[in-house]
Amino acid sequence: MTFVVLGGCLQLASVASAGGASSAAPDGASRAETLGRGLVAGSRAAGSATVPWTRDGPSGRTLVLGLGVPLTVVDGAAAVSVRAPRGASVAEALDLAGVRLGTLDRVIAARPDGTIVPGDVIRVQRVSESETAVAEATAFPVTTVADPALIAGRTFVVTAGIPGLSLNTYLVRSIDGAEVERLLVSSAEVAAPVAEVRHVGTRPPPVPSEIEAIIRSAAAEWNADADQLLRVAWCESRYNPSAYNASSSTSGLFQFKPGTWAANSVRAGYGGASVFDPVANANVAAYMFANQQARQWVCK
């Protein structure tokens, strides 16, 4: 761009020299001459040291060109080097580069106020939106049935689940041809899913013989339900007399809290006994169950 302007200056100088003083307007009127494609000499007052040049941009706006500010316009994968007049805006620089923006397109400039300085890089992001319909599977629900015939932790599927099918319509947003966002606009069920039915075991696993003997003896002593005590002991500690839960500070076979153990061990005749003693632990639990205090356990 600079070479065209300078060439235009030399061409004007040549014309002025050939015509002599008589060719100059006595009142300092403006002179103009076409300089290549789209470049026209602008007005100059008599005695002025600078001749501004103009160019019509693709938008139809007339832009004034001086020596120009070098910058780069990146449009997608293409980079264009241009020179914009000093004081020009980002919009004018894009006009010079022949860039036309779509409704959704974005411009990323170096400065938020829209000004430019030498060396700036102006990036144009081409944004497009489209809708697409996709057939997608939908998850099936699962129904569980407690089964006392199964050992706890065991499951089996009675009815296999079948995924459903939905026709989902998405709004797809792309930048420079790459998808960046997908928003669900609508969904139509094509086929309903079939629920899966699972049986889940609730029966406690076999009890170590010595633990079972201790718990059944305690139940007989206090006239408590032995089977209930066995279920709770398995649920609470997996029949482990040394079990300890650091988060709740519960301990022993039936996972007593410190305060609960301190109060009820005395009432059951085991005051001073260790909470980790399986005989003491089972008897205090049996005492409480026999006295309608089973509600203090979550396990039933």
Side-chain angles (χ1 to χ4, degrees), residues 133-164:
V134 183
E136 296 178 314
T138 55
F140 55 79
V142 176
T143 301
T144 59
V145 178
D147 190 340
L150 286 177
I151 292 177
R154 302 269 181 92
T155 64
F156 76 89
V157 176
V158 178
T159 303
I162 301 176

Short mmCIF file of all heavy atoms in Angstrom, two decimals, residues 133-164:
data_model
loop_
_atom_site.label_atom_id
_atom_site.label_comp_id
_atom_site.label_asym_id
_atom_site.label_seq_id
_atom_site.Cartn_x
_atom_site.Cartn_y
_atom_site.Cartn_z
N ALA A 133 -30.29 -33.79 14.04
CA ALA A 133 -31.09 -34.76 14.79
C ALA A 133 -30.31 -36.07 14.89
O ALA A 133 -29.77 -36.57 13.89
CB ALA A 133 -32.44 -34.99 14.12
N VAL A 134 -30.23 -36.62 16.10
CA VAL A 134 -29.44 -37.83 16.35
C VAL A 134 -30.31 -38.83 17.13
O VAL A 134 -30.94 -38.47 18.13
CB VAL A 134 -28.17 -37.51 17.16
CG1 VAL A 134 -27.33 -38.76 17.34
CG2 VAL A 134 -27.36 -36.41 16.49
N ALA A 135 -30.32 -40.07 16.68
CA ALA A 135 -31.00 -41.13 17.42
C ALA A 135 -30.06 -41.65 18.49
O ALA A 135 -28.95 -42.11 18.19
CB ALA A 135 -31.41 -42.26 16.48
N GLU A 136 -30.46 -41.54 19.76
CA GLU A 136 -29.59 -41.92 20.87
C GLU A 136 -30.31 -42.83 21.85
O GLU A 136 -31.52 -42.69 22.08
CB GLU A 136 -29.09 -40.67 21.60
CG GLU A 136 -28.21 -39.78 20.73
CD GLU A 136 -27.77 -38.53 21.45
OE1 GLU A 136 -28.63 -37.89 22.09
OE2 GLU A 136 -26.57 -38.19 21.38
N ALA A 137 -29.54 -43.76 22.44
CA ALA A 137 -30.10 -44.68 23.42
C ALA A 137 -30.34 -43.96 24.74
O ALA A 137 -29.60 -43.04 25.11
CB ALA A 137 -29.15 -45.85 23.64
N THR A 138 -31.39 -44.36 25.44
CA THR A 138 -31.68 -43.83 26.77
C THR A 138 -31.55 -44.95 27.80
O THR A 138 -31.88 -46.10 27.52
CB THR A 138 -33.11 -43.24 26.83
OG1 THR A 138 -34.05 -44.23 26.41
CG2 THR A 138 -33.22 -42.03 25.91
N ALA A 139 -31.05 -44.61 28.96
CA ALA A 139 -30.79 -45.61 30.00
C ALA A 139 -32.09 -46.20 30.53
O ALA A 139 -33.13 -45.53 30.60
CB ALA A 139 -30.01 -44.97 31.14
N PHE A 140 -32.01 -47.46 30.92
CA PHE A 140 -33.18 -48.12 31.50
C PHE A 140 -33.11 -48.02 33.02
O PHE A 140 -32.04 -48.03 33.61
CB PHE A 140 -33.27 -49.59 31.07
CG PHE A 140 -32.04 -50.39 31.35
CD1 PHE A 140 -31.77 -50.90 32.62
CD2 PHE A 140 -31.13 -50.66 30.33
CE1 PHE A 140 -30.63 -51.64 32.87
CE2 PHE A 140 -29.99 -51.40 30.57
CZ PHE A 140 -29.74 -51.90 31.84
N PRO A 141 -34.27 -47.92 33.69
CA PRO A 141 -34.29 -47.89 35.16
C PRO A 141 -34.03 -49.28 35.72
O PRO A 141 -34.20 -50.29 35.03
CB PRO A 141 -35.70 -47.40 35.49
CG PRO A 141 -36.53 -47.84 34.32
CD PRO A 141 -35.63 -47.76 33.12
N VAL A 142 -33.64 -49.32 37.00
CA VAL A 142 -33.38 -50.58 37.68
C VAL A 142 -34.25 -50.67 38.92
O VAL A 142 -34.25 -49.77 39.76
CB VAL A 142 -31.89 -50.71 38.08
CG1 VAL A 142 -31.66 -51.99 38.87
CG2 VAL A 142 -31.01 -50.68 36.84
N THR A 143 -34.99 -51.76 39.04
CA THR A 143 -35.82 -52.01 40.20
C THR A 143 -35.19 -53.13 41.02
O THR A 143 -34.86 -54.18 40.46
CB THR A 143 -37.24 -52.42 39.78
OG1 THR A 143 -37.82 -51.39 38.98
CG2 THR A 143 -38.12 -52.67 40.99
N THR A 144 -35.01 -52.89 42.31
CA THR A 144 -34.40 -53.91 43.18
C THR A 144 -35.45 -54.51 44.11
O THR A 144 -36.34 -53.82 44.58
CB THR A 144 -33.26 -53.31 44.02
OG1 THR A 144 -33.76 -52.25 44.82
CG2 THR A 144 -32.14 -52.79 43.13
N VAL A 145 -35.31 -55.80 44.33
CA VAL A 145 -36.22 -56.53 45.22
C VAL A 145 -35.39 -57.22 46.29
O VAL A 145 -34.46 -57.99 45.97
CB VAL A 145 -37.03 -57.57 44.44
CG1 VAL A 145 -37.94 -58.35 45.38
CG2 VAL A 145 -37.85 -56.89 43.34
N ALA A 146 -35.68 -56.92 47.57
CA ALA A 146 -34.95 -57.57 48.67
C ALA A 146 -35.29 -59.06 48.68
O ALA A 146 -36.47 -59.44 48.65
CB ALA A 146 -35.32 -56.93 50.00
N ASP A 147 -34.26 -59.88 48.74
CA ASP A 147 -34.45 -61.33 48.70
C ASP A 147 -33.75 -61.98 49.89
O ASP A 147 -32.52 -62.11 49.89
CB ASP A 147 -33.89 -61.88 47.38
CG ASP A 147 -34.27 -63.33 47.14
OD1 ASP A 147 -34.63 -64.02 48.12
OD2 ASP A 147 -34.20 -63.77 45.99
N PRO A 148 -34.51 -62.41 50.91
CA PRO A 148 -33.88 -63.02 52.09
C PRO A 148 -33.29 -64.40 51.81
O PRO A 148 -32.57 -64.95 52.63
CB PRO A 148 -35.05 -63.12 53.09
CG PRO A 148 -36.27 -63.15 52.24
CD PRO A 148 -35.97 -62.31 51.06
N ALA A 149 -33.57 -64.95 50.65
CA ALA A 149 -32.99 -66.26 50.31
C ALA A 149 -31.56 -66.13 49.83
O ALA A 149 -30.82 -67.11 49.77
CB ALA A 149 -33.84 -66.94 49.22
N LEU A 150 -31.17 -64.89 49.49
CA LEU A 150 -29.80 -64.65 49.01
C LEU A 150 -28.96 -64.07 50.13
O LEU A 150 -29.43 -63.26 50.94
CB LEU A 150 -29.81 -63.66 47.84
CG LEU A 150 -30.31 -64.15 46.48
CD1 LEU A 150 -30.30 -62.98 45.51
CD2 LEU A 150 -29.44 -65.28 45.96
N ILE A 151 -27.69 -64.50 50.16
CA ILE A 151 -26.76 -63.91 51.12
C ILE A 151 -26.55 -62.44 50.77
O ILE A 151 -26.48 -62.07 49.59
CB ILE A 151 -25.42 -64.67 51.11
CG1 ILE A 151 -25.61 -66.08 51.67
CG2 ILE A 151 -24.36 -63.93 51.90
CD1 ILE A 151 -24.36 -66.93 51.62
N ALA A 152 -26.48 -61.61 51.76
CA ALA A 152 -26.30 -60.17 51.56
C ALA A 152 -25.08 -59.90 50.68
O ALA A 152 -24.03 -60.51 50.85
CB ALA A 152 -26.14 -59.46 52.90
N GLY A 153 -25.25 -58.97 49.75
CA GLY A 153 -24.18 -58.64 48.82
C GLY A 153 -24.32 -59.37 47.49
O GLY A 153 -23.70 -58.97 46.50
N ARG A 154 -25.14 -60.40 47.45
CA ARG A 154 -25.36 -61.14 46.21
C ARG A 154 -26.57 -60.57 45.48
O ARG A 154 -27.56 -60.16 46.10
CB ARG A 154 -25.60 -62.62 46.51
CG ARG A 154 -24.48 -63.31 47.28
CD ARG A 154 -23.47 -63.92 46.34
NE ARG A 154 -22.42 -64.60 47.10
CZ ARG A 154 -22.46 -65.89 47.43
NH1 ARG A 154 -23.52 -66.62 47.12
NH2 ARG A 154 -21.45 -66.44 48.08
N THR A 155 -26.51 -60.55 44.16
CA THR A 155 -27.64 -60.09 43.34
C THR A 155 -27.77 -60.98 42.12
O THR A 155 -26.80 -61.61 41.69
CB THR A 155 -27.46 -58.63 42.88
OG1 THR A 155 -26.32 -58.56 42.02
CG2 THR A 155 -27.30 -57.68 44.04
N PHE A 156 -28.96 -61.03 41.56
CA PHE A 156 -29.11 -61.65 40.25
C PHE A 156 -30.24 -60.95 39.51
O PHE A 156 -31.18 -60.40 40.12
CB PHE A 156 -29.35 -63.16 40.36
CG PHE A 156 -30.73 -63.56 40.79
CD1 PHE A 156 -31.75 -63.77 39.86
CD2 PHE A 156 -31.03 -63.74 42.14
CE1 PHE A 156 -33.02 -64.14 40.27
CE2 PHE A 156 -32.29 -64.13 42.54
CZ PHE A 156 -33.30 -64.33 41.62
N VAL A 157 -30.13 -60.94 38.19
CA VAL A 157 -31.08 -60.23 37.35
C VAL A 157 -32.22 -61.16 36.97
O VAL A 157 -32.01 -62.24 36.41
CB VAL A 157 -30.39 -59.70 36.08
CG1 VAL A 157 -31.41 -59.04 35.15
CG2 VAL A 157 -29.31 -58.71 36.46
N VAL A 158 -33.44 -60.73 37.29
CA VAL A 158 -34.64 -61.50 36.95
C VAL A 158 -35.11 -61.11 35.55
O VAL A 158 -35.42 -61.97 34.72
CB VAL A 158 -35.75 -61.26 37.98
CG1 VAL A 158 -37.02 -62.02 37.59
CG2 VAL A 158 -35.29 -61.66 39.37
N THR A 159 -35.17 -59.81 35.29
CA THR A 159 -35.57 -59.29 33.98
C THR A 159 -34.49 -58.33 33.49
O THR A 159 -34.19 -57.33 34.17
CB THR A 159 -36.91 -58.54 34.05
OG1 THR A 159 -37.91 -59.41 34.58
CG2 THR A 159 -37.33 -58.05 32.68
N ALA A 160 -33.91 -58.64 32.35
CA ALA A 160 -32.85 -57.78 31.81
C ALA A 160 -33.43 -56.46 31.32
O ALA A 160 -34.51 -56.42 30.73
CB ALA A 160 -32.12 -58.49 30.68
N GLY A 161 -32.71 -55.39 31.58
CA GLY A 161 -33.14 -54.08 31.11
C GLY A 161 -32.82 -53.88 29.64
O GLY A 161 -31.84 -54.43 29.12
N ILE A 162 -33.64 -53.11 28.97
CA ILE A 162 -33.44 -52.80 27.55
C ILE A 162 -33.44 -51.28 27.39
O ILE A 162 -34.39 -50.61 27.80
CB ILE A 162 -34.56 -53.41 26.68
CG1 ILE A 162 -34.59 -54.93 26.87
CG2 ILE A 162 -34.35 -53.05 25.21
CD1 ILE A 162 -35.72 -55.60 26.11
N PRO A 163 -32.37 -50.72 26.80
CA PRO A 163 -32.34 -49.27 26.61
C PRO A 163 -33.45 -48.80 25.68
O PRO A 163 -33.89 -49.54 24.79
CB PRO A 163 -30.96 -49.03 25.97
CG PRO A 163 -30.17 -50.26 26.31
CD PRO A 163 -31.15 -51.38 26.35
N GLY A 164 -33.89 -47.57 25.90
CA GLY A 164 -34.87 -46.98 25.00
C GLY A 164 -34.17 -46.26 23.87
O GLY A 164 -32.94 -46.31 23.73
#
